[in-house]
Amino acid sequence: MTTSRAPQHHPRPSLPLIAATTAALPAVVLSSLAIAQPAAAEPRARAVPATLAAAMRAQAKAEVATSLKASVIPAASVPVTLPSALRPAQSAVPAQYTIARGDTISAVAGRYGLDTYAVLKLNNLQANTIIYPGQKIKLTGSTAATPTVSKPAASASVTSAQASVYVVKSGDTLSAIAARHGVGLSEVFKWNGLGMGSVIYPGQKVKVSGGSSTQAPSAPAAPAPAAPSKPATAPASSGSYTIKSGDTLSGIAARNGVRLSDVLSANRLTMSSIIYPGQKLVIPGASTLSPASTTPAATQPAATTPLVPSTFLGFTYPAAVVSSANQNKALLNASPVPTREQMKSIVADTARRMGVDASLALAFAYQESGFNQRAVSPANALGTMQVIPSSGEWASELVGRKLNLLDPYDNATAGVAIIRQLVRTSSDLDNAIAGYYQGQYSVSQNGMYEDTKAYVAAINANRTLFS
């Protein structure tokens, strides 16, 4: 059939669909849609009157204030001090306390509720005084008798009193002595011919007041000049003088009618040189002023018996080195040092802290000094670890701070630091041990000498004692 088809229309989408759908709905549904009414809107809540809202807010505010007030404790109800029932029990303060490893004066004082300054004063200590395990300190009681006033026999001087004298005790410093007696440090220096570099030691007598110290010799029982009006013509010694406890170079010079500079020059000393009881000094004025009455040759052989000899194992050391060794020995002899057993603990603890085998460090300390902190060799090797000053400088660089080889803890630190460095930089342990004795460079260039080999064997044997 060739009938023509009706043209197809392409209406917009969805409109015919909606129309068809609507047309297909039954009449009943259409009528119900037409009859149905929209749902009634929910009635609006009535507004709260302004006066009632204000009253409600005021009531809520009052309730909050009341609750806060009830939660705060009045200041008057808080006690000023902790009730005794809640206080920690206070340890009874002993009359004496033995220092343990790791103790400090402030910690000990705090443990017993004491004032640190009072404990320092009670024991004649300073804030920088070194304490060591086993040392005994007082916690109660009174300070030891302060100045020991010397009352010499009546003097011919009528214008001024004699100077008061204080006997130095262990732990004293010149500044503390000056403060204790209410005088200036510069005055103490002036009265005693001392300076900032001067060293004092227990038993030394220090003048703590003015007086006719230049007119009449007070403390030392040395022979007085025969003619006080002309002291320069009657010196008190015959070419030499043996130092006594409490002497100073300026006092010796004045007593013998010579200048201090002449005494220093004749004995190759300086203002900071250390002198010690028993040391003999040349008095230049005596031999110069009265050559006929004295025989210098007779007094010269009576040389000072040194604390440290000049030779060791067949080696003779330079006079300057031996002189320094004797000065350091005198200092250590006059200072409190730990016992050998305490020193052994210090070395072991230092080695563990620095990562070094404790048995190795103890073997060195035992071989070098037998744990004797007062040991000094003619080479000026000092203390327990026998470290010479130049090696001490090297050890100071290794640990990053200045080390004092006369201090027992620093001495142990210096020795252990050197051992640690030698172990790290040597080819093996034996060469490291040899380096401590012979020097690392010498070992690398010359090998071990025979005495070095014996030293290495001794250290290895000692290690077994402490392993």
Side-chain angles (χ1 to χ4, degrees):
M1 185 177 289
T2 59
T3 55
S4 60
R5 286 177 129 187
Q8 292 185 355
H9 297 281
H10 299 282
R12 292 178 185 175
S14 76
L15 288 180
L17 179 62
I18 295 174
T21 304
T22 306
L25 289 175
V28 177
V29 176
L30 290 174
S31 62
S32 64
L33 288 174
I35 294 171
Q37 297 294 323
E42 187 177 346
R44 292 181 60 186
R46 294 179 59 190
V48 179
T51 53
L52 179 57
M56 292 171 66
R57 284 195 297 271
Q59 182 179 357
K61 193 172 182 181
E63 289 176 353
V64 171
T66 303
S67 63
L68 287 175
K69 185 176 180 181
S71 64
V72 177
I73 301 174
S77 302
V78 180
V80 178
T81 60
L82 193 66
S84 58
L86 299 179
R87 292 177 192 166
Q90 185 72 42
S91 303
V93 181
Q96 193 177 62
Y97 177 82
T98 303
I99 299 294
R101 193 176 307 148
D103 273 343
T104 62
I105 294 295
S106 58
V108 173
R111 191 178 309 155
Y112 295 103
L114 303 174
D115 178 62
T116 301
Y117 175 75
V119 176
L120 290 171
K121 185 177 180 183
L122 185 62
N123 292 276
N124 290 327
L125 301 176
Q126 298 298 309
N128 60 350
T129 301
I130 298 168
I131 59 174
Y132 51 86
Q135 181 178 349
K136 296 185 185 298
I137 61 172
K138 292 190 293 184
L139 298 182
T140 61
S142 58
T143 310
T146 29
T148 303
V149 179
S150 125
K151 294 212 169 206
S155 166
S157 173
V158 294
T159 55
S160 60
Q162 295 295 319
S164 297
V165 175
Y166 174 79
V167 179
V168 176
K169 298 177 180 61
S170 177
D172 274 343
T173 63
L174 288 171
S175 57
I177 293 170
R180 196 177 304 144
H181 293 85
V183 296
L185 179 58
S186 59
E187 293 176 302
V188 175
F189 285 158
K190 181 176 68 175
W191 294 330
N192 294 277
L194 302 175
M196 288 300 291
S198 299
V199 177
I200 60 174
Y201 52 86
Q204 182 177 348
K205 293 180 181 178
V206 176
K207 292 173 187 174
V208 291
S209 70
S212 55
S213 56
T214 58
Q215 297 279 337
S218 52
S229 60
K230 279 183 90 178
T233 60
S237 73
S238 57
S240 68
Y241 177 79
T242 302
I243 294 174
K244 301 176 180 61
S245 177
D247 274 343
T248 62
L249 289 171
S250 58
I252 293 168
R255 197 178 311 131
N256 290 278
V258 296
R259 292 181 302 177
L260 175 59
S261 59
D262 293 337
V263 174
L264 295 174
S265 176
N267 293 275
R268 296 182 179 179
L269 301 175
T270 65
M271 285 299 293
S272 61
S273 295
I274 301 163
I275 59 174
Y276 50 88
Q279 181 179 353
K280 291 188 186 300
L281 293 179
V282 176
I283 306 299
S287 55
T288 303
L289 293 173
S290 51
S293 62
T294 61
T295 310
T299 59
Q300 293 252 340
T304 305
T305 303
L307 297 172
V308 180
S310 60
T311 60
F312 180 69
L313 295 177
F315 295 98
T316 300
Y317 292 88
V321 175
V322 177
S323 174
S324 295
N326 275 280
Q327 293 180 27
N328 286 321
K329 180 68 173 177
L331 270 176
L332 287 169
N333 284 350
S335 304
V337 298
T339 65
R340 292 174 189 257
E341 197 61 32
Q342 291 165 348
M343 203 65 226
K344 180 180 174 182
S345 297
I346 291 171
V347 171
D349 289 346
T350 302
R352 294 187 194 100
R353 190 182 71 249
M354 296 179 67
V356 172
D357 180 6
S359 67
L360 180 62
L362 290 170
F364 275 104
Y366 180 69
Q367 182 69 23
E368 292 288 342
S369 68
F371 305 111
N372 179 12
Q373 177 58 17
R374 286 199 172 104
V376 179
S377 79
N380 202 23
L382 306 174
T384 302
M385 303 304 291
Q386 288 291 277
V387 181
I388 62 174
S390 58
S391 295
E393 293 294 330
W394 179 40
S396 296
E397 293 175 5
L398 292 175
V399 300
R401 67 179 179 86
K402 180 69 175 174
L403 296 174
N404 174 10
L405 298 179
L406 301 182
D407 174 85
Y409 292 92
D410 277 6
N411 190 279
T413 299
V416 172
I418 292 171
I419 294 168
R420 181 176 64 182
Q421 186 67 10
L422 289 171
V423 170
R424 287 175 176 174
T425 57
S426 298
S427 57
D428 56 38
L429 182 58
D430 280 359
N431 277 284
I433 295 171
Y436 197 94
Y437 178 80
Q438 184 179 320
Q440 190 178 39
Y441 179 78
S442 176
V443 172
S444 68
Q445 295 298 307
N446 308 307
M448 296 186 202
Y449 300 137
E450 291 304 314
D451 55 329
T452 304
K453 292 176 183 177
Y455 180 86
V456 172
I459 294 294
N460 285 324
N462 291 342
R463 288 187 70 191
T464 62
L465 299 176
F466 305 107
S467 297

